[in-house]
Amino acid sequence: MPPGEPAVQARGVHKFYGSHHVLRGIDLEVRRGEVIVVLGPSGSGKSTFLRCLNHLEAIERGSIRVCGELVGYRETPRGLVELRDAEVAHARRRIGMVFQQFNLFPHLTALGNITAGPLHVLREGREAAAAEARRLLALVGLPEKAEAYPTQLSGGQQQRVAIARALAMRPEVMLFDEPTSALDPEMISEVLEVMTTLSRQGMTMVVVTHEMGFARAVANRVVLVDGGRVVEDTAPGDFFTNPKNERTRAFLDKILH
């Protein structure tokens, strides 16, 4: 898909948990190569929306497309029908996700964690998968940690291995759900540095974070989600210095002062 083509298209996305209406008609388009930072108060729906993008959460209304293909559903004459788990898993290969908690396999080394998907899902050869894993470990600044187990790594190192593991599946879009929130302050910068490198390489990224410096420096657009709705969607300069929405101004006053 050429640069500038829509990589993610969310249209009128609604999500309920019982009677709780979490997402209330979210519209968002992310073009290939863009970095979108999603901000919002706790409970606003931003992490739920991210999980909907790769169908970890099913949506009740609306549609989500990644690289032109519906996520989690197929179109029929009677409307949308949810895909079977195996079909969802196949479609999800296009989307990498990095969570707050690193979710590494504790019994596998860093190399083993990164090669697990390519070996068992993509059916790559062991030698090729290992070579790519070593390349990715170098990319995230951990070339010497191939044989280390998660318990032998710091939180920041584990998160960088988790990023490498997601990249090993060759995703077209990367989702980051508050990737630094579980880290000590001195480890945050090493993870953000890797994410900045990915952005410079043209990776399409949707990032839920509280790191305002990253949003200012790296994002193409900053989106504020509040009450399950997008209330602001603009360039970082305008978002931080000239927001259009009163809710955005109140949010920035609270977090920047």
Side-chain angles (χ1 to χ4, degrees):
M1 186 178 289
E5 287 289 311
V8 176
Q9 294 168 296
R11 296 281 182 266
V13 172
H14 288 260
K15 173 67 185 173
F16 293 83
Y17 292 116
S19 61
H20 182 33
H21 197 174
V22 183
L23 302 180
R24 298 168 175 261
I26 285 192
D27 294 312
L28 184 70
E29 183 167 288
V30 183
R31 297 197 167 272
R32 181 167 291 272
E34 277 192 316
V35 177
I36 306 300
V37 168
V38 181
L39 305 177
S42 180
S44 61
K46 56 191 186 299
S47 287
T48 298
F49 175 64
L50 208 66
R51 291 171 66 84
C52 289
L53 290 181
N54 67 350
H55 206 64
L56 287 175
E57 299 282 358
I59 62 175
E60 273 72 44
R61 295 207 303 272
S63 66
I64 294 171
R65 293 179 185 272
V66 172
C67 302
E69 291 189 7
L70 278 172
V71 173
Y73 299 88
R74 68 173 177 273
E75 290 175 293
T76 74
R78 296 183 179 182
L80 298 182
V81 174
E82 191 167 8
L83 298 176
R84 296 192 301 271
D85 288 348
E87 294 172 303
V88 172
H90 182 79
R92 201 178 275 146
R93 293 182 192 177
R94 288 183 152 182
I95 308 166
M97 188 157 185
V98 178
F99 301 87
Q100 296 179 40
Q101 302 301 327
F102 323 123
N103 297 334
L104 297 178
F105 300 118
H107 63 290
L108 295 179
T109 62
L111 194 73
N113 267 279
I114 297 167
T115 57
L119 288 174
H120 301 297
V121 179
L122 302 182
R123 305 295 182 187
E124 288 184 2
R126 188 166 295 277
E127 196 172 306
E132 176 64 3
R134 291 183 187 280
R135 185 189 74 80
L136 290 169
L137 279 170
L139 175 71
V140 301
L142 296 172
E144 76 289 356
K145 297 295 185 181
E147 302 307 322
Y149 287 88
T151 55
Q152 299 170 311
L153 301 171
S154 70
Q157 290 171 335
Q158 288 186 62
Q159 191 62 296
R160 285 186 279 162
V161 172
I163 293 172
R165 181 176 64 178
L167 291 172
M169 297 298 288
R170 301 192 188 89
E172 297 184 58
V173 177
M174 283 284 285
L175 310 177
F176 293 85
D177 186 10
E178 301 198 29
T180 60
S181 65
L183 300 178
D184 293 332
E186 65 269 20
M187 297 176 186
I188 290 173
S189 62
E190 60 193 37
V191 172
L192 294 179
E193 192 175 318
V194 170
M195 294 167 63
T196 301
T197 298
L198 290 178
S199 75
R200 289 177 181 148
Q201 293 179 352
M203 176 60 74
T204 307
M205 297 159 60
V206 184
V207 184
V208 170
T209 185
H210 295 289
E211 299 297 331
M212 298 299 134
F214 178 84
R216 286 178 186 269
V218 180
N220 297 100
R221 288 171 19 233
V222 180
V223 174
L224 182 71
V225 173
D226 188 41
R229 294 184 174 93
V230 172
V231 297
E232 191 100 29
D233 180 352
T234 190
D238 290 332
F239 185 93
F240 288 105
T241 61
N242 189 32
K244 297 180 180 66
N245 193 286
E246 180 57 40
R247 183 66 192 90
T248 310
R249 288 191 284 273
F251 174 76
L252 291 172
D253 282 344
K254 190 172 288 186
I255 62 168
L256 296 179
H257 298 100

